[in-house]
Amino acid sequence: MKESLYTASSLAIVRGAARFEGRVAIVDRHGAHPFGDLLGASSRMANALLGERPDLLEEPVAFMVQPGVDYVSVLWGIWRAGGIAVPLCPEHPAPELEHVIRDSGARTVVFDALFGETLGPAAEATGARLLPTKQAKRGSAAGRRRLPDVEPFRRALILYTSGTTGRPKGVVSTHGILTAQIETLVEAWGWTSEDRILHALPLHHTHGIVNALLCALWSGATCEMLPRFDPAVVWERLSSGEVTLFMAVPTIYVKLVAEWENATATERAALSRGSADLRLMVSGSAPLTTHVFERWLDITGHELLERYGMTEIGMAISNPLDGERRPGYVGVPLSGVRVRLVDEGGQRITGEEKPGRIQVRGPGLFLEYWKRLEDTRAAYQDAWFDTGDEAVVENGYYRILGRTSVDIIKTGGYKVSALEIENVLRGHRAISDCAVVGVPDLEWGERVCVAVVPASAEAEQGALLEELKAWAKDRLASYKVPRDLILVEELPRNAMGKLTKPEVQQMFVSKGPGDAGG
Ligand code: MCA
Ligand code: AMP
């Protein structure tokens, strides 16, 4: 494609798209969209965002756009205008959205009309300007101007992730950091322009944005974007013979196994046959059990490739594309990523079979926590980022043992902070005190549970759980809402008065799933 104002870009991923102009970049509910259309749409979007300005100069721009071609046009439009993209999750309630908009400082939110009601309260509370995607797509009166040069060191993306304290923090990546993360995966997992990935992941986290969407766009491959995860639709597309790649969290594989098991024998055979031809299926974001690995192998003939990563570091450790994929292990450090284990005192562990905390270095590490210099500093030991995950190396492969903090919970592949949930729940009039824990769960990995010291002796366990669920849904993302509750007279504490969360976890384990679920 001849370079025009639409295609000219200092951004490697956008410039690269010109090479694939006629190929299909995105398939969504509206049809197939070639790379050439993305270039035009993102250029108009950039012009609309810029108005009379020459460059957004790293202004954060939030956006809530459905999975599909518009999502990419807005993302690239923000980048091409020199802004920082801040994706919002359409399923989040107003307080979560307000936190992200306020904390990022986004003054503009680009949004699909159908999200008007969802966004209204947060936009009003923060004073952010709402810019409908439809309007932005038309571009601006200033028309087709030359877009600014956006160098690799400039900030590109803020993703919100939970830590041990407070509300979610913004993890900032530059264009160069994203490029490093993408290039590592494209090489490791053998992406080519012949690939077609089925995309059913949320678009406000690294897994869905970088690993699935951006790697596809970088490679000139096709990304088929579903509006949301639906096991029947995913099976239908996986067995269509058109898809070469799939990436998901373990909970999704559990749900797909259940869907397959509920099908008739004839349907099962067709699903298994159809999905056998994919080139690669990847699992990550949470531990994949050997049981699910084996079941998936039985059903599809695929050995899932499990890998390990984190919003702050991108992907760090992976089983190989070619070679042994060992169930229960995440493999070896990816090319260009340095990984070490340290003991409690921060001393490097040498040799195998001694567990330690994972620390990582490399060009894919995040730049900073947005406007949190102290948190950024504290996350590092020397130049090594401390993940807070523990692992051991056995026969050359890393095995993840768990996290150092009981206050971080992984549920459905989402990372949530027990302390953040407790802070919100303490605002409920029926709660005097509470302790939130993650309890092992076959479907969700962990489920969020809460031990409550009630404000009144009259409180009834089942009724309070239901009331709390409904109340919390308006304040917290649905995956943070407790699924089970136990009433206690007091929370278990050690001799120092410190809450002993393992004891709280044990209460739920002894109780069994009970009235959890849903
Ligand atoms: C939803 N439900 C839950 C949970 N979430 N119940 C227990 N625990 C949960 N965590 C309930 C809902 O309340 C609802 O119940 C019912 O399940 C269906 O809800 P829905 O939201 O429709 O669920 P779903 O669509 O089936 O969602 C499951 C999911 C989703 C597809 C697995 O959680 C998901 O997309 N997870 C992926 C997260 C992800 O991308 N993580 C990557 C971040 P009721 O019907 O009673 O209301 S980590 C990352 O990026 C790092 C870098 C990495 O390593 O990848
Ligand atoms: P997030 O902060 O949402 O990016 O989640 C990153 C965390 O997910 C890591 O720190 C790990 O605790 C967890 N994680 C990611 N991949 C795996 C995996 N394959 N096995 C176990 N835990 C994982």
Side-chain angles (χ1 to χ4, degrees):
M1 189 187 209
K2 217 165 116 278
E3 189 172 271
S4 72
L5 289 178
Y6 278 167
T7 58
S9 181
S10 48
L11 292 166
I13 193 164
V14 179
R15 208 174 46 237
R19 287 190 289 132
F20 308 113
E21 189 206 351
R23 295 187 73 92
V24 174
I26 302 291
V27 172
D28 63 14
R29 64 198 188 292
H30 300 302
H33 311 273
F35 279 91
D37 287 6
L38 269 183
L39 290 168
S42 58
S43 168
R44 286 192 297 279
M45 189 71 62
N47 274 294
L49 289 167
L50 285 166
E52 299 300 319
R53 288 188 288 172
D55 189 330
L56 290 186
L57 296 172
E58 299 193 5
E59 177 186 316
V61 178
F63 65 111
M64 185 183 284
V65 181
Q66 281 182 286
V69 69
D70 283 353
Y71 179 97
V72 183
S73 305
V74 174
L75 177 69
W76 282 14
I78 296 168
W79 286 351
R80 297 183 75 180
I84 311 178
V86 186
L88 299 172
C89 173
E91 266 98 53
H92 281 181
E96 296 257 13
L97 296 172
E98 189 182 325
H99 168 67
V100 173
I101 297 171
R102 201 182 288 286
D103 188 84
S104 66
R107 281 180 282 141
T108 302
V109 183
V110 184
F111 76 112
D112 281 349
L114 87 156
F115 297 134
E117 228 171 274
T118 312
L119 269 169
E124 200 177 320
T126 55
R129 169 179 74 121
L130 288 179
L131 177 62
T133 320
K134 217 172 179 178
Q135 186 184 325
K137 273 202 300 199
R138 286 200 293 269
S140 79
R144 305 171 51 193
R145 64 163 82 223
R146 182 149 198 105
L147 296 171
D149 276 341
V150 182
E151 300 297 331
F153 56 78
R154 279 176 54 167
R155 292 174 180 81
L157 188 65
I158 308 181
L159 298 179
Y160 277 80
T161 186
S162 291
T164 41
T165 54
R167 309 231 50 170
K169 294 194 281 275
V171 174
V172 182
S173 305
T174 61
H175 291 284
I177 289 168
L178 291 178
T179 299
Q181 293 183 357
I182 294 166
E183 282 183 325
T184 298
L185 293 186
V186 166
E187 185 200 324
W189 298 343
W191 279 90
T192 74
S193 59
E194 298 302 313
D195 274 317
R196 178 173 177 130
I197 187 167
L198 181 67
H199 193 303
L201 287 166
L203 284 164
H204 62 297
H205 282 300
T206 297
H207 197 165
I209 299 175
V210 179
N211 298 21
L213 177 63
L214 294 181
C215 282
L217 295 170
W218 182 274
S219 310
T222 299
C223 186
E224 181 176 330
M225 301 176 86
L226 299 178
R228 61 185 309 281
F229 170 69
D230 176 328
V233 176
V234 168
W235 265 122
E236 192 269 310
R237 294 306 302 144
L238 288 181
S239 55
S240 67
E242 293 172 359
V243 174
T244 66
L245 256 161
F246 185 62
M247 293 180 192
V249 299
T251 301
I252 287 184
Y253 288 108
V254 172
K255 285 173 179 278
L256 290 173
V257 168
E259 180 78 12
W260 184 90
E261 282 168 349
N262 286 332
T264 64
T266 322
E267 287 165 346
R268 285 180 181 189
L271 297 177
S272 295
R273 209 174 32 248
S275 55
D277 287 341
L278 267 80
R279 179 174 79 73
L280 176 65
M281 291 176 145
V282 180
S283 175
S285 305
L288 177 73
T289 62
T290 49
H291 172 73
V292 176
F293 179 96
E294 300 296 349
R295 279 304 285 141
W296 197 253
L297 181 59
D298 287 345
I299 291 172
T300 64
H302 283 276
E303 289 186 334
L304 285 172
L305 183 154
E306 186 175 9
R307 56 57 180 184
Y308 162 86
M310 193 173 181
T311 310
E312 288 89 334
I313 62 173
M315 298 303 110
I317 311 177
S318 174
N319 275 284
L321 182 64
D322 303 310
E324 185 197 5
R325 296 184 196 161
R326 203 183 297 167
Y329 290 77
V330 291
V332 297
L334 282 157
S335 152
V337 183
R338 290 168 67 195
V339 178
R340 71 177 189 184
L341 297 181
V342 298
D343 64 19
E344 279 177 11
Q347 290 302 310
R348 183 175 183 176
I349 292 171
T350 47
E352 292 210 342
E353 295 179 16
K354 279 188 227 141
R357 260 185 0 264
I358 304 174
Q359 295 189 336
V360 179
R361 277 183 90 151
L365 259 61
F366 74 131
L367 179 70
E368 62 192 355
Y369 291 116
W370 183 238
K371 295 186 176 150
R372 292 173 203 253
L373 193 58
E374 264 323 298
D375 287 334
T376 308
R377 281 206 190 111
Y380 284 87
Q381 181 191 330
D382 308 322
W384 293 83
F385 175 78
D386 198 314
T387 62
D389 290 309
E390 284 184 318
V392 64
V393 182
E394 289 163 346
N395 299 320
Y397 276 34
Y398 281 78
R399 183 160 66 86
I400 308 293
L401 299 170
R403 290 172 306 272
T404 41
S405 169
V406 282
D407 289 319
I408 297 284
I409 301 169
K410 261 274 159 160
T411 180
Y414 286 111
K415 182 173 174 181
V416 305
S417 154
L419 302 183
E420 181 196 357
I421 302 171
E422 287 163 9
N423 280 339
V424 171
L425 295 183
R426 285 195 193 104
H428 190 280
R429 57 180 168 71
I431 293 182
S432 165
D433 199 0
C434 65
V436 168
V437 289
V439 177
D441 185 275
L442 290 175
E443 184 177 8
W444 298 99
E446 288 181 293
R447 64 180 192 284
V448 176
C449 297
V450 61
V452 169
V453 181
S456 145
E458 316 291 285
E460 197 270 314
Q461 201 157 283
L464 183 56
L465 174 60
E466 289 317 310
E467 188 183 327
L468 216 53
K469 272 190 191 169
W471 183 85
K473 259 187 186 157
D474 293 336
R475 292 159 175 82
L476 291 166
S478 80
Y479 45 83
K480 298 179 183 172
V481 172
R483 305 289 147 177
D484 202 357
L485 177 150
I486 288 179
L487 289 178
V488 292
E489 277 177 27
E490 54 186 330
L491 297 171
R493 294 184 188 277
N494 64 16
M496 311 293 290
K498 192 174 173 295
L499 192 64
T500 45
K501 286 214 168 170
E503 272 189 69
V504 180
Q505 281 167 324
Q506 196 47 50
M507 288 182 204
F508 286 96
V509 172
S510 310
K511 175 176 174 280
D515 44 5

